[in-house]
């Protein structure tokens, strides 16, 4: 059974940084694309960043470009989201997602390309 476990969330002041990690077990991690999404209270779940299985294709939401960096370590079955220059509007629950079967070659930006999800980790940015 596939499991995704996020860690690294917390409370940080505006301008601060956090590093989210997602550990994946139960499948061949290197075979699939990975992504991060977030959901703020009362809002839909939105794409944040995505990375192909090789790491050669990466995409970001416009709102986080230049501040967030996604990376993956296929040897450790882990995907990282480094978040810098955080803003109050980044406050949300952040979810890690693994690509559905057959989706591996791109950095997918829509949730329907992902078949597995973690439980989420809370990120709160105070003003």
């Amino acid at each position: 059974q596939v499991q995704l476990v996020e860690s690294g969330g917390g409370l940080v002041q505006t301008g601060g940084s956090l590093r989210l990690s997602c550990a994946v077990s139960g499948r061949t991690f290197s075979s699939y694309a990975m992504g991060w999404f977030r959901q703020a209270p009362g809002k839909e779940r939105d794409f944040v960043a995505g990375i192909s299985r090789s790491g050669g294709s990466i995409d970001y939401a416009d709102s986080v470009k230049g501040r967030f960096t996604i990376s993956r370590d296929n040897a450790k079955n882990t995907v990282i989201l480094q978040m810098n220059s955080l803003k109050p509007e980044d406050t949300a629950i952040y979810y890690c997602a693994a690509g559905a079967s057959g989706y591996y070659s791109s950095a997918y930006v829509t949730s329907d390309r992902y078949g597995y999800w973690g439980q989420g980790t809370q990120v709160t940015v105070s003003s």
Side-chain angles (χ1 to χ4, degrees):
Q1 184 173 350
V2 179
Q3 288 190 326
L4 289 76
V5 179
E6 302 98 335
S7 61
L11 173 64
V12 65
Q13 292 185 334
T14 297
S17 298
L18 284 174
R19 180 181 173 91
L20 304 184
S21 296
C22 175
V24 182
S25 61
R27 69 186 302 185
T28 305
F29 176 78
S30 60
S31 297
Y32 296 91
M34 298 296 297
W36 287 94
F37 288 72
R38 67 186 181 186
Q39 188 167 19
K43 296 187 177 181
E44 295 184 349
R45 188 174 298 187
D46 291 328
F47 170 76
V48 175
I51 186 168
S52 63
R53 68 173 177 177
S54 69
S57 178
I58 290 175
D59 202 358
Y60 298 97
D62 288 342
S63 59
V64 307
K65 282 182 180 176
R67 300 188 297 123
F68 290 11
T69 302
I70 188 172
S71 61
R72 65 188 297 159
D73 186 337
N74 287 343
K76 295 182 178 180
N77 287 11
T78 300
V79 62
I80 301 294
L81 185 67
Q82 177 66 43
M83 306 187 296
N84 299 327
S85 302
L86 284 161
K87 305 174 181 181
E89 51 263 44
D90 295 317
T91 295
I93 298 174
Y94 283 71
Y95 297 91
C96 173
S101 179
Y103 291 100
Y104 57 84
S105 62
S106 296
Y108 301 102
V109 301
T110 56
S111 60
D112 62 351
R113 296 295 188 262
Y114 294 89
Y116 305 92
W117 296 82
Q119 292 299 307
T121 185
Q122 176 70 48
V123 171
T124 303
V125 184
S126 63
S127 58

